Amino acid sequence: MDFITGEILYIDKPLKWTSFDVVKRIRGVLLRRLKRKKFKVGHAGTLDPLATGVMIICTGKATKQIESLQAGVKEYVAEITFGATTPSFDLETEIDATYPISHISRELVENTLAQFTGEINQVPPAFSACKIDGHRAYKMARKGEDVNLKAKNLVIDEIELLSYSQEKISVRIVCSKGTYIRALARDIGEALGTGAHLTALRRTRVGNVKIEDCMSVDDATKMLEEVEIVIPQED
C-alpha cells in the first residue's frame, strides 16, 4: 500500500475514543513503518467520544479529499431518552432538569418526527466545536460562559422510528453534513412537550461507506503493521 501517495481507510470508531485518538493510533503505526517523524493523516468528519461508527481516515496526499468526503450524506442510529435534559444534550454532562412523559404516545412521537424531515433550522449545541470570535464553543461552555450560536440550515432526508417506549426511542436518521444529532434530540424533546437527550449514537454510513465496510481500530492496527508498504528512496 502506498500511504504517501494516499490511502483511505474505513474505521469503526470505538466508544469513548475521540476522533483524534483514532487518527493518532493510525499515524503512530505509519510513522514507525515509514520511518518518519511527521506524516499527514486526517479524518473526514468528527464523531463525539460517546458516539461510535464510521470514520474515514485519509493518509498522505489523500488528505486533499477530506473536504469532499465529509460532504457526503450521513446515516445514524440514535437512542433518545425522554424526561430529562443535560447541558451537552447527551451523557457527557449531568441531568440538569426533568420533565413529565406521561402524555407521550407512539402516535405523538411519529407525528413529531415527521416535522423534522426536509429543511430545518438547527442551533448547534453549546458543547460543540463551533467557533465564536475564534474561540471553541465547548471551551466557553465548560467555563460557564454564555454561548450564543446562530441557527444553521440543514436537511434531514429521513427519520425512521426503529423502536418506541414512553421513556426512550431508537431512530435511524439520514442527514446532511453539519447536523448535530444531540441538538436534534433536544429539539424533538421540545416538540414533544418534554425534555430529551441523546443516550447512544452510532454512525452507520458516510456517503457510500457503510459500517460493514469498516475495520476495528485493532484490526486496522494489525493490518498496518503487517501490510507491505511502499517506502520511496527519496521524498
Side-chain angles (χ1 to χ4, degrees), residues 217-228:
V217 171
D218 287 343
D219 285 346
T221 300
K222 183 178 179 182
M223 181 274 290
L224 293 174
E225 294 282 10
E226 297 175 353
V227 74
E228 185 176 340

Side-chain angles (χ1 to χ4, degrees), residues 11-98:
I11 307 293
D12 183 354
K13 188 190 84 65
L15 186 67
K16 296 186 179 179
W17 282 50
T18 66
S19 297
F20 178 73
D21 289 336
V22 178
V23 170
K24 185 179 178 182
R25 169 71 74 85
I26 300 301
R27 184 190 290 120
V29 177
L30 290 175
L31 286 172
R32 290 196 304 273
R33 295 289 319 270
L34 294 168
K35 298 176 180 164
R36 289 182 163 216
K37 292 184 178 179
K38 291 182 180 180
F39 186 61
K40 275 189 177 182
V41 179
H43 65 82
T46 302
L47 271 179
D48 290 335
L50 296 178
T52 65
V54 179
M55 274 194 68
I56 300 178
I57 305 292
C58 300
T59 77
K61 293 177 182 177
T63 54
K64 294 177 181 177
Q65 299 180 47
I66 284 176
E67 190 172 345
S68 62
L69 288 169
Q70 63 188 10
V73 168
K74 313 293 192 303
E75 180 184 71
Y76 297 90
V77 172
E79 180 185 87
I80 300 171
T81 297
F82 301 135
T85 56
T86 73
S88 60
F89 312 148
D90 64 5
L91 295 175
E92 182 185 342
T93 52
E94 298 293 323
I95 289 171
D96 60 359
T98 57

Side-chain angles (χ1 to χ4, degrees), residues 192-225:
L192 285 167
T194 186
H197 61 289
L198 191 67
T199 45
L201 182 65
R202 184 158 178 75
R203 187 158 68 192
T204 51
R205 180 165 63 90
V206 176
N208 294 322
V209 181
K210 299 179 180 180
I211 192 65
E212 50 264 35
D213 301 322
C214 297
M215 296 181 283
S216 69
V217 171
D218 287 343
D219 285 346
T221 300
K222 183 178 179 182
M223 181 274 290
L224 293 174
E225 294 282 10

